[in-house]
């Protein structure tokens, strides 16, 4: 019980400092943050450590389903490869859209040396399955 109280005590200051969630922020399983960049584009920020590609797809799939209301059979497209965030201060984001790269307004179109590549796509249901790879026990859909 003492450990739980200590943990809760330490978390309160962290929650009260700046850097909290803004109106367009979404946090999905595994504490993966997603921010809307434009009407067509959203960016997923990978956490430090682990498998960033799995985190990108997990976040993109959950955001598309839960926020955008995309059906399981809709496609999610990579429109900007890994790099510094546009809508957040994260150093490790990738951009996605429900529209192909050439049609998504607001995409950076940046290229990178790791992560998903521009033009790659996944079904929403398949992207959400990446949450299992990052080891989130609550990510069973």
């Amino acid at each position: 019980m003492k450990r739980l109280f200590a943990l809760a005590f330490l978390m309160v200051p962290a929650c009260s400092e700046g850097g909290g969630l803004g109106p367009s922020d979404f946090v999905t399983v595994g504490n993966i943050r997603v921010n809307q960049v434009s009407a067509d584009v959203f960016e997923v920020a990978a956490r430090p450590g682990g498998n960033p590609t799995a985190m990108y797809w997990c976040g993109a799939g959950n955001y598309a389903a839960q926020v955008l209301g995309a059906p399981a059979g809709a496609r999610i497209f990579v429109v900007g490869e890994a790099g510094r965030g546009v809508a957040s201060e994260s150093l490790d984001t990738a951009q996605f859209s429900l529209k192909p790269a050439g049609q998504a307004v607001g995409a950076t179109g940046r290229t990178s040396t790791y992560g998903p590549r521009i033009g790659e796509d996944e079904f929403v249901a398949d992207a959400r399955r990446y949450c299992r790879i990052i080891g989130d026990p609550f990510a069973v859909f």
Side-chain angles (χ1 to χ4, degrees):
M1 184 67 167
K2 289 182 182 179
R3 288 183 186 169
L4 181 61
F5 179 77
L7 181 61
F9 181 75
L10 292 173
M11 290 179 66
V12 171
C15 294
S16 63
E17 292 182 13
L21 296 178
S24 65
D25 293 335
F26 173 78
V27 179
T28 187
V29 296
N31 199 29
I32 301 166
R33 293 178 183 256
V34 183
N35 298 295
Q36 194 73 33
V37 174
S38 68
D40 294 340
V41 178
F42 56 95
E43 68 183 12
V44 180
R47 302 185 319 263
N51 182 334
T53 299
M55 288 184 233
Y56 293 141
W57 284 114
C58 171
N62 282 332
Y63 187 79
Q66 295 175 11
V67 176
L68 302 179
R75 290 206 176 268
I76 303 169
F77 299 90
V78 177
V79 295
E81 296 177 15
R84 179 177 286 279
V86 173
S88 73
E89 295 179 11
S90 176
L91 299 176
D92 198 4
T93 67
Q95 292 186 337
F96 297 88
S97 178
L98 296 178
K99 295 181 178 180
Q103 299 173 15
V105 176
T108 62
R110 70 178 168 228
T111 58
S112 178
T113 58
Y114 68 97
R117 300 288 177 225
I118 290 177
E120 287 183 18
D121 65 274
E122 293 276 352
F123 289 112
V124 169
D126 292 338
R128 295 181 79 187
R129 287 190 187 104
Y130 278 87
C131 297
R132 294 181 184 148
I133 294 171
I134 63 172
D136 195 310
F138 302 105
V140 179
F141 302 107

